[in-house]
Amino acid sequence: YMNIRILAVGSIKESFYKEAVAEFKKRLTRYASLEIIEVKDEKTVEKASEAIDRRIKDAEGKRLLSKLNESDFVVVLAIEGQKLSSTKFSQKLAEWEVSAGSRLTFIIGGSIGLCDELIKRANVLLSFSDMTFPHQLMRVILCEQLYRSYRIRNNEPYHK
């Protein structure tokens, strides 16, 4: 039974995203425990300088890094990460679980991305698309893909 954590910057405000995450979290209980840890997001400024963006990413990154143990296996969601089909993700998830031991941690950054230190800390960089998604929606997508992954692995039906 795997312990999966999602570390995310910011909280979900829209009730429909909260409901979707709660539903997939409930469905996942048959396969794994899922813990979602939110860290405070920084206020962002439109058209901010690179230095301000870096300061924001570093502040959010420090909060995320403080939640990690040295032994954690970390999958960071990053646009430059590897792209996998749902079937391949299911296979990789099984491999990561072996590497992770008892706890696997996924990280979803804030609206302007992740600091370099977090990218370096990742065991795996994973991308769901070249498109940019709101980080709140990304949480729903990740939870759904985790659930789908276990269904695939257990040869259980799930809509395609």
Side-chain angles (χ1 to χ4, degrees):
Y1 199 72
M2 179 54 54
N3 295 306
I4 297 174
R5 291 191 319 160
I6 297 174
L7 301 182
V9 173
S11 59
I12 294 182
K13 290 158 187 61
E14 287 85 355
S15 60
F16 52 90
Y17 287 144
K18 284 181 185 172
E19 289 167 22
V21 167
E23 178 61 29
F24 287 115
K25 188 175 179 180
K26 185 178 85 183
R27 291 181 188 188
L28 271 165
T29 58
R30 290 181 49 205
Y31 311 102
S33 73
L34 177 64
E35 179 185 15
I36 298 173
I37 299 167
E38 298 173 341
V39 299
K40 184 182 169 312
D41 55 345
E42 293 288 309
K43 293 277 181 256
T44 54
V45 185
E46 284 294 314
K47 296 186 173 106
S49 70
E50 220 173 280
I52 290 172
D53 278 354
R54 191 171 34 257
R55 186 187 54 73
I56 289 169
K57 288 193 277 191
D58 286 346
E60 292 173 346
K62 274 190 179 65
R63 291 184 194 119
L64 291 167
L65 286 161
S66 76
K67 304 292 183 191
L68 295 175
N69 295 331
E70 210 171 285
S71 61
D72 285 346
F73 189 92
V74 178
V75 178
V76 170
L77 274 55
I79 206 155
E80 68 272 22
Q82 61 182 308
K83 291 179 190 64
L84 304 168
S85 68
S86 293
T87 304
K88 201 65 159 160
F89 178 67
S90 180
Q91 294 165 355
K92 285 290 189 187
L93 184 62
E95 290 173 24
W96 299 337
E97 287 177 359
V98 171
S99 300
S102 63
R103 189 164 82 180
L104 179 60
T105 301
F106 289 85
I107 294 182
I108 302 173
S111 58
I112 61 169
L114 296 158
C115 68
D116 293 340
E117 200 177 342
L118 259 175
I119 299 289
K120 286 187 191 105
R121 172 60 182 87
N123 294 91
V124 175
L125 294 178
L126 178 66
S127 173
F128 280 82
S129 174
D130 288 333
M131 294 179 182
T132 302
F133 296 107
H135 57 97
Q136 296 180 29
L137 177 58
M138 200 58 238
R139 216 178 299 181
V140 175
I141 294 169
L142 175 58
C143 289
E144 189 278 336
Q145 285 298 304
L146 287 168
Y147 175 68
R148 181 183 295 267
S149 172
Y150 283 106
R151 300 290 292 187
I152 291 168
R153 192 184 320 173
N154 290 290
N155 294 312
E156 296 168 345
Y158 193 69
H159 59 80
K160 296 185 182 226

